[in-house]
Amino acid sequence: MKFSVSYCKTILSICALLSFINSWGWGQKGHDVTCAIAEHHLTEKTRAAVLDLLEGKSLVYWSNWLDNASHTPEYGYSRTWHYKNIDDGQEYEEAPINPSGDVVVAIRDQVKTLGKSYKKKNDKQILALKMLIHLVGDLHQPMHLGRLSDKGGNYHKITFFTTETNLHSLWDSYLPESAHKWSYTEWRNEIDRLSDTEIAAICQGTVDDWAKETFLITREVYNSSPREGKVSYDYIYKWTPVIEKQLAKGGIRLAFLLNTIFDPH
Ligand code: ADE
Ligand code: ZN
Ligand code: ZN
């Protein structure tokens, strides 16, 4: 009996520790919004190809599939694919490459896999698509380009109003959910209003350029977020437009990648 109680306590402590660092993307809302925006920018041909691969379900349906899959033994190899760490004092280019993979490499690889064989539907391609639609969202969450020293903000304690949390979770969920109390369709409706010129500019560059752009925001977030301090209304006020822009960029770039693969002409 004694053994089983202490055994349970150990298991519970491990679970608590794991749940502390398991923030692996925008929360569900951020990924849903990214995919809802992307769906709106697909060409007819791309839409048909994607629908065929995703068992007739939408991008939104699969948007967060990878966050759960990466926690399973089958897809555990993709655990590090949700982020890239650039430590304090490092430039983007100076950050060492994680041999287990990172979000930039993973996106490039999924694009390659999809591009190679898009005429023949196969399991590899279906998996690559489910991964890609999630990872492009993650690429636009500033704390997914966070420091290694604090595990992308997971160890950076911060209080949001009265809730004790960390910088990573603040950006994954608390902040987007506080910015607007909208459904993902309302988010899409409100922020997916960019001009053709703005859209063309957003689609310029490489995946590395997009990551670097997010990283410039990450730096500013670190510089303006207190350690063990409290943030509230002024923080939401400052960062809401940035979150809106990041979600819009993620959706538009995801559509751009998919259109390039499935409807290159
Ligand atoms: N999630 C878990 N570990 C992380 C890290 N090192 N950087 C960003 N997000 C993470
Ligand atoms: Zn993720
Ligand atoms: Zn996260």
Side-chain angles (χ1 to χ4, degrees), residues 22-27 138 141 143-144 168 172:
N22 77 350
S23 336
W24 286 356
W26 288 117
D138 280 348
Q141 204 287 50
M143 296 322 295
H144 280 241
H168 193 109
D172 265 351

Side-chain angles (χ1 to χ4, degrees), residues 140-196:
H140 292 82
Q141 204 287 50
M143 296 322 295
H144 280 241
L145 280 302
R147 296 173 184 166
L148 181 64
S149 56
D150 67 4
K151 290 257 182 289
N154 275 296
Y155 291 160
H156 182 129
K157 284 189 189 163
I158 198 160
T159 303
F160 186 56
F161 290 91
T162 55
T163 305
E164 285 184 19
T165 181
N166 63 72
L167 193 58
H168 193 109
S169 298
L170 180 65
W171 274 83
D172 265 351
S173 307
Y174 289 104
L175 209 46
E177 294 284 1
S178 305
H180 303 290
K181 304 282 181 226
W182 292 334
S183 65
Y184 72 79
T185 29
E186 289 165 336
W187 268 96
R188 194 207 69 70
N189 214 19
E190 300 303 330
I191 68 173
D192 188 14
R193 291 162 181 261
L194 302 175
S195 69
D196 289 348

Side-chain angles (χ1 to χ4, degrees), residues 105-118 125 128 132 257 261:
V105 173
I107 289 174
R108 276 205 302 260
D109 285 351
Q110 307 323 303
V111 168
K112 234 180 272 168
T113 302
L114 282 165
K116 249 188 236 161
S117 57
Y118 82 94
Q125 194 189 11
L132 181 66
L257 291 177
I261 294 163

